[in-house]
Amino acid sequence: SDLRPSVLEDLGLTAAIEWLAHEFEIHHQTLCVVRGTQPSDSISPDIATAVFRIVQESLTNIAKHATAKRVQINLSSVNDLLKIEIIDDGIGLQTGWDNKEGSFGLQGMRERAMSFDGEISVANGRKAGVVLRLQIPHQNSNNKSNH
């Protein structure tokens, strides 16, 4: 699962996320909009792969649990920090969602982000749905290429 996806290799992170969004729309008949950009030339291949997999897992969770009609993925970069916000308009987090047995998706996303000094937060949206926020340093001073 840690192999670098060819779409990421061929297109770069932003275009690879746009490709994920397009595939999500096709397979789940759910609008998925990507906004913003990131400085792809300053992101290591390992961090790009981690971010791609986190976005992919988040979309999988939305497809499985949210019954969303719309998803928005916001990309930005501030002070060497890549920020990604994934917002859906689905049913939101149910009580006990973080303790559900056999549920390792979010835990895996958190561990992947933490391995690059990043962090993830997940919360119910203001009106409905869920907001997942990822922030990860994209110019990591520690060369963690062994991930």
Side-chain angles (χ1 to χ4, degrees), residues 65-66 85-98 106 110 121-133:
H65 307 294
E85 204 175 46
I86 303 171
I87 305 162
D88 71 65
D89 66 353
I91 60 172
L93 299 169
Q94 306 304 301
T95 305
W97 68 272
D98 52 346
L106 182 59
R110 279 200 171 114
S121 66
V122 181
N124 278 317
R126 278 180 277 176
K127 295 178 185 170
V130 173
V131 179
L132 179 140
R133 288 185 178 94

Side-chain angles (χ1 to χ4, degrees), residues 50-121:
V51 169
F52 179 87
R53 295 293 187 204
I54 288 168
V55 172
Q56 188 177 43
E57 178 67 23
S58 181
L59 290 174
T60 297
N61 287 343
I62 291 168
K64 282 183 184 174
H65 307 294
T67 63
K69 302 262 185 281
R70 186 175 199 278
V71 178
Q72 182 170 316
I73 303 171
N74 298 322
L75 309 173
S76 63
S77 180
V78 181
N79 300 330
D80 295 334
L81 207 60
L82 175 62
K83 296 183 175 192
I84 297 184
E85 204 175 46
I86 303 171
I87 305 162
D88 71 65
D89 66 353
I91 60 172
L93 299 169
Q94 306 304 301
T95 305
W97 68 272
D98 52 346
N99 298 327
K100 197 167 119 186
E101 191 155 331
S103 178
F104 299 107
L106 182 59
Q107 180 181 341
M109 287 190 282
R110 279 200 171 114
E111 288 173 5
R112 197 180 290 267
M114 286 176 14
S115 71
F116 293 101
D117 301 321
E119 57 187 54
I120 289 179
S121 66

